[in-house]
Amino acid sequence: MVGATLFHRRKHSWPAEEFISKSTLQLLDLDSAAPPPHAWRRRLNCHANILKEFTITFREAIKMVRLGIRLWSYVREEASHGRKAPIDPFTKENCKPSASQGVPLGGMGSGSISRGFRGEFKQWQITPGTCDPSPMMSNQFSIFISRDGGHKKFASVLAPGQHGSLGKSRDKGISSWGWNLNGQHSTYHALFPRAWTIYDGEPDPELKISCRQISPFIPNNYRDSSLPAAVFVYTLVNTGKERAKVSLLFTWANSMGGTSHMSGGHVNEPFIGEDGVSGVLLHHKTGKGNPPVTFAIAASETQNVNVTVLPCFGLSEDSSFTAKDMWDTMEKDGKFDQENFNSGPSTPSLAGDTICAAVSASAWVEAHGKCTVSFALSWSSPKVKFSKGSTYDRRYTKFYGTSPRAALDLVHNALTNYKRWEEDIEAWQNSILRDERLPEWYKFTLFNELYFLVAGGTVWIDSASLDSNGKSQHQQSSLANSDGKANGLDINDQHNNLGNGNSVGIKSNDEVSVIHNRNGLFVDTRHVDDGDDVGRFLYLEGVEYVMWCTYDVHFYASYALLMLFPKIELNIQRDFAKAVLSEDGRKVKFLAEGNVGIRKVRGAVPHDLGMHDPWNEMNAYNIHDTSRWKDLNPKFVLQVYRDFAATGDYQFGIDVWPAVRAAMEYMEQFDRDNDDLIENDGFPDQTYDTWTVHGVSAYCGCLWLAALQAAAAMALQIGDKFFAELCKNKFLNAKAALEKKLWNGSYFNYDSGTSSNSKSIQTDQLAGQWYAASSGLPPLFEESKIRSTMQKIFDFNVMKTKGGKMGAVNGMHPDGKVDETCMQSREIWTGVTYAAAATMILSGMEEQGFTTAEGIFTAGWSEEGFGYWFQTPEGWTMDGHYRSLIYMRPLAIWGMQWALSLPKAILDAPQINMMDRVHLSPRSRRFSHNVKVVKHKAKCFGNSALSCSC
């Protein structure tokens, strides 16, 4: 664990005082208006460089030419059906990515909108699986200031005006507005899910302004964390000798990003709500049969704050009320006509026209006085529609209903509840932020990497809509074998029983491996009733790799969900457990080799839950046949056991146990030489899907060893002693075989083949040990071998990569040269680097672990880095060129936090070593020869979170 003084001598610091004057910080020291001591910071005039994408080498291109041709053909075929391909390297966005991202808005799973650190609203992800990065420059906050006597006036958009799309100032569109902010004295401070923008005397030297952005991302709050809403709290401090009339303006286009604002049929409507909340609803008519969306912008009227609205203005010169007219009105009057509230819904917009709305909040700020003004934004998109027709209700509709007009209630509740949100957020974050043992960069990067759970295309639905959707019946019928059975198990029965808390076993050789009913001898510790149902959750592998819940990557990212939203994590595992026991016989062409197979093989863990019809049509990934991958099944067993051990949720263990057994039994076919160790098949058959593996591999071999341990420990606790004995026996044999074939005295060789990279040092070689240690299982190898391996990775893959300033390169030759076998061997993967750091921490190598992870911060998040903040990619090359922005795997930084704060159930596990409790007895070494009926009897988990009566 982290020592008390370990980091004092190397603690990096980015104090707010270096960005904001101390006097301003003191003036803002009320109501959370001042930025926190620990945050990611930038000046608003900071240059946002264009990011550089990776390119493949000529040699790599030659190797991948057949794949490229097949992929090109597949992308075109999908486009002919009006669909996107999950991986499309050929279509590029018009808006080039830049180093301009900031904290995204809203909770999880209801669509997201990001906001750059300079104030632009961008990265529109309202429709599942789509992301439009272009900013809507009409969506802005602006300020208008006048002082008694009228001799001082200021008017400006509260964002720097250096933007190529603004046009000429004489236009009647937004270029006519006052883009007067330089940004030199304005700063941005991010600590997800909040962000602060401080205007330290801009545009008025005598007015200090703080804008605090708040979104409802609250661990273990499964209601508010689903809400599509955000609040912007402005704190105004007048340092002048005269009182000031200040009007803040919030403008918003009726748009979902891209060119959707020009499609026509959009309507704006003013409203006066309860508790002084007033604003405008913007009803957006979506295209392509997608469900409608309604936005709401609002402000809170108080005794000192007057709220007025302009329901509709246009961006073209032909508009009846133009953007210039709106700006001129605000400059002249500082407000709009009160009668606008009575105007009713606007006339639907015409195709080609853009309509916007504005909310103004005006207040007098006395000399040396302070004032608070609150705005909110919400978007109500109650239905999720996937491209093959399945439609579901979003999670928030469970509390707000399915009417698009729920946007009004959402914005009202945001403005009346945001203080409680902040209290809960601070209570969650403070224990980490106040831990003096931890480096500062780690504290705020840990929280800021969570941006992906909002901006990673997340979809969170109400379970009731899944149950009532006709598609789920389609799944049950189409995923079965032709006779409706899967190795003797009725798919429909298994699918239903995994969801309702009962567990039936895998029928093999006419016997049942596990039979359990919740009315048996075990105490029922987890009643899944309406209050406990947290819905179903999806998140993308990345915005460029559009596949839901990609499992080999979730292996790294899942620590964040387990620590913050454990019920969501358990439900994702339940979804995959159902999938393991299902089969989908529809034919699929795999693009790497051009061969044809079936979409989903029973017993194989799917690569993902799908793209166009998740839950019903899995494995959107079709580069390789992932039923032959060697990492997915062990990763499933390891994640299930970790979650089972950490939560003490015994019913969860019973629910998923049949799938765990099936996953282990499935892997036996890959033991080619009967030594109980799986072998790879001479193609990239694991998460590194361009990096070929021959024979036994360190990565998959260690995952398999850890899975055998996990399965043995879980089997013992579930009551399947026969299976526990088999797994332990296999573990002992497989461990001996792996060490004999791969251990070279200081680390494990990449694989047992004879290729030029077989002796490469792979950063991820001890991923199985990472999970074993994270789950309270015994170490896979002697401690000296584990530490020697991790030290080798640190000395070579980390420190020989730009002096440790970029993270850990995936592959390094023992002579200190980067392994350039393929594009992935020479890349630095952000999430894998975090995972290696976590493994070092768990191995007692804390300083090496934090140094390793700090390279990702330096290259990706620091001001001298490449600009990947709030869009952390899968990886980058040695020259910093990215591949796949906004990617899931970097959430693995929460694996480091898990290592630093293991729950008591895990810490106590070594005291009750489950593997030592498994007693070997002579029997067959084959899983399939040892299927018995198992009777359960209640037992306690030692000191785990489970409480039971024995």
Side-chain angles (χ1 to χ4, degrees), residues 488-533:
L489 176 68
D490 188 296
I491 293 293
N492 295 336
D493 289 344
Q494 184 65 47
H495 185 87
N496 292 333
N497 283 324
L498 277 172
N500 66 16
N502 297 332
S503 177
V504 299
I506 306 158
K507 292 185 180 178
S508 179
N509 295 344
D510 299 320
E511 292 185 288
V512 181
S513 60
V514 178
I515 300 175
H516 178 78
N517 184 282
R518 57 167 42 171
N519 294 322
L521 294 175
F522 277 106
V523 175
D524 188 8
T525 60
R526 187 174 184 275
H527 296 279
V528 182
D529 57 26
D530 188 59
D532 287 331
D533 177 21

Side-chain angles (χ1 to χ4, degrees), residues 822-835:
C822 65
M823 71 177 191
Q824 290 176 343
S825 63
R826 62 183 172 89
E827 287 179 329
I828 296 151
W829 283 11
T830 52
V832 167
T833 299
Y834 286 143

Side-chain angles (χ1 to χ4, degrees), residues 298-434:
S300 287
E301 182 154 326
T302 65
Q303 186 176 1
N304 188 40
V305 178
N306 175 242
V307 177
T308 57
V309 300
L310 181 63
C312 196
F313 67 91
L315 297 185
S316 69
E317 294 188 3
D318 299 329
S319 304
S320 59
F321 202 88
T322 67
K324 185 177 187 305
D325 296 332
M326 184 278 300
W327 189 267
D328 291 344
T329 299
M330 285 299 299
E331 274 200 300
K332 178 175 178 288
D333 302 326
K335 62 180 180 178
F336 301 115
D337 193 331
Q338 195 71 30
E339 288 300 312
N340 288 344
F341 282 113
N342 302 319
S343 62
S346 66
T347 302
S349 63
L350 300 175
D353 288 345
T354 302
I355 60 172
C356 306
V359 175
S360 168
S362 305
W364 284 98
V365 186
E366 298 298 325
H368 305 293
K370 301 176 181 180
C371 180
T372 299
V373 179
S374 300
F375 292 89
L377 165 71
S378 71
W379 53 97
S380 180
S381 176
K383 297 287 184 181
V384 179
K385 182 180 178 182
F386 293 99
S387 57
K388 287 195 174 180
S390 292
T391 303
Y392 308 98
D393 295 335
R394 293 192 191 267
R395 166 73 175 169
Y396 79 88
T397 65
K398 185 179 180 74
F399 318 108
Y400 287 84
T402 57
S403 168
R405 296 185 68 86
L408 194 158
D409 294 328
L410 286 161
V411 82
H412 169 268
N413 286 358
L415 284 167
T416 54
N417 288 314
Y418 75 84
K419 291 183 179 179
R420 177 176 56 80
W421 294 351
E422 289 196 283
E423 290 174 359
D424 292 343
I425 291 166
E426 289 174 4
W428 156 48
Q429 293 183 333
N430 279 344
S431 62
I432 294 173
L433 296 175
R434 293 173 180 173

Side-chain angles (χ1 to χ4, degrees), residues 10 93 117 143-144 177 216 269 295 375 384 388 409 564 572 617 653 741 942 947 950:
R10 56 187 298 272
E93 297 287 350
F117 74 87
I143 194 165
F144 302 83
W177 297 355
E269 177 187 3
F295 296 91
F375 292 89
V384 179
K388 287 195 174 180
D409 294 328
L564 306 177
I572 290 175
E617 186 181 88
K741 293 178 180 181
S947 61
C950 297

Side-chain angles (χ1 to χ4, degrees), residues 539 554-565 569 639 642-643 767 770-775 835 838 842 891-899 902:
Y539 65 147
H554 180 67
F555 175 79
Y556 299 84
S558 58
Y559 285 89
L561 287 174
L562 177 60
M563 295 189 75
L564 306 177
F565 298 95
E569 165 63 11
Q639 289 182 73
R642 179 203 58 191
D643 298 351
W770 174 33
Y771 257 72
S774 294
S775 306
L842 289 164
L891 285 171
I893 192 173
W894 281 85
M896 295 177 63
Q897 189 58 27
W898 180 267
L902 290 172

